[in-house]
Amino acid sequence: MAAADQSAFFSMGDHTLQVPMQLFAENRRRLADRLREKAPHSIVVLQGGSDAHHYCSDVDYKFQQEGYFNWMFGVQEPDFYGALDVDSGKSILFIPRLPEEYIIFMGRIKSTAEFKKYYAVDEVYYVDEIKDVIKKKAPDMLLTLFGLNTDSGRTCQEAVFSGISEFNVNNKILHSEIAECRVVKTPLEIEVMRYVNKISSDAHKMVMQKLKIGMYEYQGEAIFLDYCYFVGGSRAEGYTCICASGENGAILHYGHAGAPNDKKIQSGDLCLFDMGAKYAGYTADITVTFPISKKFTDDQKAVYNAVLNARNAVIAALKPGVSWVDMHRLSFEVILTDLKKYGVLVGDVDEMIKDGIGAILMPHGLGHLLGCDVHDVGGYLEGHPARPTEAGFNRLRTARSMLAGMVVTVEPGCYFNDVVLEKTLKDAKLSKYFNVDVLNRVKTCGNVRIEDDVLITSDGCEVLTDVPRTVEEIEEFLAKDLQLDLHSLVKGSV
């Protein structure tokens, strides 16, 4: 395989991380190595993302590259195709042939030679040359990407181009192999994820410092996005920001168009902010929960510490070979035990888990794989454990055992959703576990999620996220008046 140009890299300025194109060359090498025995004399063909318009208008959405294509090539522009010769490991990009008027509206048209140098690939041609270029290479088979994303329930976009019917096309082999490659990160990928975690962590801390009683949730979102872009060079976020205060913290994916982070933050509210920057196609996913009044009440402290203790127990136990299902169960055990000690719950904790009480208070999985997608691929590939059917475990995004090099989120939570609780308390089988008087008091204190991005190492794990976590750390941090200034931070951010 030809070595990638070491001088080729992605960067958003001197103060941001330089991401070498060697990262994507290494990803291609790993994929070719996996495919060489199963599909010799074949060529992988991927189709990159395309621009999308706002309905029937001529206004584009801000483009983000499709995850698999980003993982293989790191290409930032739309309408590219890419190919990988499995035998030789050589890479090819196919770029759109742009009309002359592009120069007027969009800017200078780059040459094939410029793209070859920038993306450090072996060959570059135009999209309308795909059939002829590949035909000359005489592959036995084209490998296209087709498979189910078990988080979204949607299938990958399979590459199509004029003349593809003239080839022997196989769309069965590639998906599981490339998805498995994405599960374990290389050292270069981990470096990017450390960077995007630093930027996201620092942006969360900026929000914690700047947000005040009487401000709106979306103003916290604006502070976060401003920091990530201005300081970190992150033009995109990994997902829609969740900026929930008070009762909104019980809405797991708050922040969407129907609930757009628009509540005024009141004295006494807990703020549950779940946000992550994206850089070079890799994303962070971090949640902090903090009191807008700068001090936790006793009830807030009890719920927060139950979730924190679960987070700490999982992180202490994570290492290669550990089952994610067992980690999820551990988080239930810790949270329910602590709430029982505080008087919210009564009864046997194992019975509570069996009857689904854990899922009532934490109706999501412990976390997920993380990488080019916030819910990264590979959770339920063939040959790995299937999705559990047990109540409280059937929403897990993976049931795999941990591998060194995986990056996962650890995000236990405790939520008091009035609609869910009202239904629960009407069920005699479930209501027996609740001390209603204590529950009615505690449920008004707010909702808690603590989410860290964690790298599985050879003998344990490394927390990539760096934000205040204990009650004492959070209260001490909120009491400081740091007078943070973006312009000074740019100079000292990396």
Side-chain angles (χ1 to χ4, degrees):
M1 176 182 291
D5 182 352
Q6 297 297 313
S7 65
F9 59 84
F10 166 84
S11 173
M12 289 293 284
D14 294 341
H15 62 287
T16 66
L17 180 69
Q18 289 190 355
V19 180
M21 290 298 147
Q22 183 65 35
L23 182 156
F24 307 104
E26 175 66 12
N27 287 346
R28 294 191 295 270
R29 183 197 64 75
R30 293 169 61 211
L31 178 61
D33 287 348
R34 287 186 67 93
L35 292 171
R36 205 160 281 133
E37 184 176 340
K38 294 183 178 180
H41 318 308
S42 63
I43 291 180
V44 173
V45 180
L46 289 187
Q47 183 173 349
S50 297
D51 272 328
H53 298 299
H54 288 256
Y55 308 107
C56 66
S57 79
D58 60 354
V59 177
D60 293 336
Y61 287 99
K62 185 167 63 178
F63 178 72
Q64 286 196 48
Q65 188 56 266
E66 191 275 331
Y68 284 102
F69 201 81
N70 183 84
W71 181 86
M72 271 191 70
F73 295 102
V75 167
Q76 303 153 48
E77 297 88 353
D79 302 319
F80 275 51
Y81 284 72
L84 174 67
D85 187 305
V86 169
D87 288 351
S88 68
K90 288 188 175 181
S91 54
I92 310 170
L93 282 178
F94 297 93
I95 68 174
R97 197 184 292 274
L98 301 170
E100 189 173 315
E101 66 179 10
Y102 182 96
I103 300 170
I104 301 171
F105 293 97
M106 309 298 283
R108 188 176 66 83
I109 297 175
K110 297 174 185 174
S111 67
T112 55
E114 287 177 290
F115 280 118
K116 180 176 184 292
K117 180 178 180 181
Y118 183 75
Y119 288 118
V121 293
D122 297 293
E123 302 172 43
V124 176
Y125 304 95
Y126 290 101
V127 169
D128 54 35
E129 299 176 293
I130 292 180
K131 184 186 79 170
D132 293 338
V133 169
I134 295 180
K135 205 164 226 182
K136 287 178 182 177
K137 298 182 182 298
D140 289 349
M141 186 163 48
L142 296 190
L143 303 179
T144 56
L145 185 63
F146 182 81
L148 181 70
N149 183 310
T150 55
D151 289 299
S152 68
R154 298 170 181 160
T155 53
C156 306
Q157 174 181 288
E158 187 175 4
V160 291
F161 58 84
S162 178
I164 193 172
S165 61
E166 298 178 28
F167 297 90
N168 175 25
V169 178
N170 181 297
N171 67 2
K172 306 295 184 185
I173 296 173
L174 180 59
H175 179 260
S176 61
E177 299 300 328
I178 191 172
E180 189 65 32
C181 283
R182 283 179 60 178
V183 168
V184 174
K185 273 56 180 180
T186 67
L188 286 173
E189 289 181 291
I190 291 166
E191 184 179 358
V192 179
M193 299 196 74
R194 284 199 178 100
Y195 175 78
V196 78
N197 256 272
K198 172 176 169 46
I199 292 301
S200 300
S201 295
D202 289 348
H204 271 288
K205 287 186 277 192
M206 175 71 85
V207 174
M208 293 172 72
Q209 278 286 312
K210 296 291 188 181
L211 206 64
K212 308 297 179 188
I213 294 168
M215 293 175 69
Y216 286 83
E217 295 163 333
Y218 67 80
Q219 291 177 300
E221 177 181 9
I223 294 166
F224 179 87
L225 296 176
D226 186 30
Y227 184 99
C228 291
Y229 199 0
F230 193 96
V231 178
S234 173
R235 193 178 189 209
E237 61 273 20
Y239 51 97
T240 301
C241 293
I242 299 168
C243 300
S245 62
E247 68 276 9
N248 290 337
I251 304 168
L252 299 183
H253 287 169
Y254 183 74
H256 59 87
N261 296 330
D262 60 353
K263 173 182 169 292
K264 181 182 280 190
I265 302 171
Q266 307 293 328
S267 176
D269 279 350
L270 276 184
C271 293
L272 187 162
F273 280 24
D274 183 340
M275 302 180 284
K278 196 168 193 177
Y279 189 83
Y282 288 81
T283 187
D285 184 4
I286 299 169
T287 307
V288 299
T289 303
F290 61 95
I292 194 63
S293 301
K294 300 188 178 184
K295 288 281 188 180
F296 288 90
T297 67
D298 288 343
D299 286 341
Q300 288 173 341
K301 191 181 299 185
V303 177
Y304 185 89
N305 279 333
V307 177
L308 180 66
N309 288 339
R311 174 259 192 197
N312 292 344
V314 169
I315 287 173
L318 274 177
K319 61 182 179 180
V322 168
S323 163
W324 193 243
V325 177
D326 290 345
M327 294 296 94
H328 184 69
R329 183 179 296 277
L330 175 61
S331 69
F332 274 169
E333 290 172 353
V334 173
I335 291 170
L336 297 179
T337 297
D338 281 9
L339 291 180
K340 179 180 175 181
K341 289 178 182 176
Y342 198 65
V344 178
L345 300 173
V346 294
D348 182 79
V349 169
D350 288 336
E351 290 297 316
M352 291 183 205
I353 295 173
K354 181 180 177 182
D355 288 342
I357 300 301
I360 289 168
L361 296 174
M362 188 176 102
H364 60 74
L366 173 64
H368 49 81
L369 297 166
L370 186 68
C372 290
D373 293 312
V374 65
H375 298 149
D376 214 20
V377 298
Y380 290 107
L381 294 176
E382 186 177 344
H384 295 285
R387 188 186 300 273
T389 57
E390 182 184 355
F393 295 81
N394 55 1
R395 289 180 178 166
L396 282 173
R397 295 187 184 272
T398 188
R400 294 179 64 144
S401 293
M402 296 294 97
L403 297 170
M406 280 182 172
V407 178
V408 296
T409 66
V410 175
E411 49 179 306
C414 183
Y415 314 89
F416 300 101
N417 186 299
D418 281 332
V419 174
V420 174
L421 289 175
E422 182 179 353
K423 182 179 178 181
T424 299
L425 294 177
K426 290 178 180 178
D427 186 325
K429 182 180 178 181
L430 303 178
S431 62
K432 67 182 180 182
Y433 293 113
F434 289 90
N435 183 332
V436 177
D437 290 339
V438 179
L439 174 66
N440 286 337
R441 187 190 78 233
V442 170
K443 75 176 185 178
T444 64
C445 80
N447 306 276
V448 175
R449 179 161 67 251
I450 300 173
E451 181 177 18
D452 292 286
D453 300 345
V454 177
L455 167 68
I456 307 300
T457 63
S458 61
D459 58 356
C461 70
E462 172 192 344
V463 178
L464 304 179
T465 306
D466 181 19
V467 294
R469 281 306 186 203
T470 68
V471 166
E472 295 74 21
E473 287 170 347
I474 291 170
E475 291 182 345
E476 181 181 355
F477 184 78
L478 294 175
K480 294 177 181 177
D481 185 9
L482 298 181
Q483 299 295 318
L484 299 173
D485 173 71
L486 288 182
H487 288 273
S488 63
L489 287 167
V490 164
K491 295 177 183 177
S493 62
V494 291

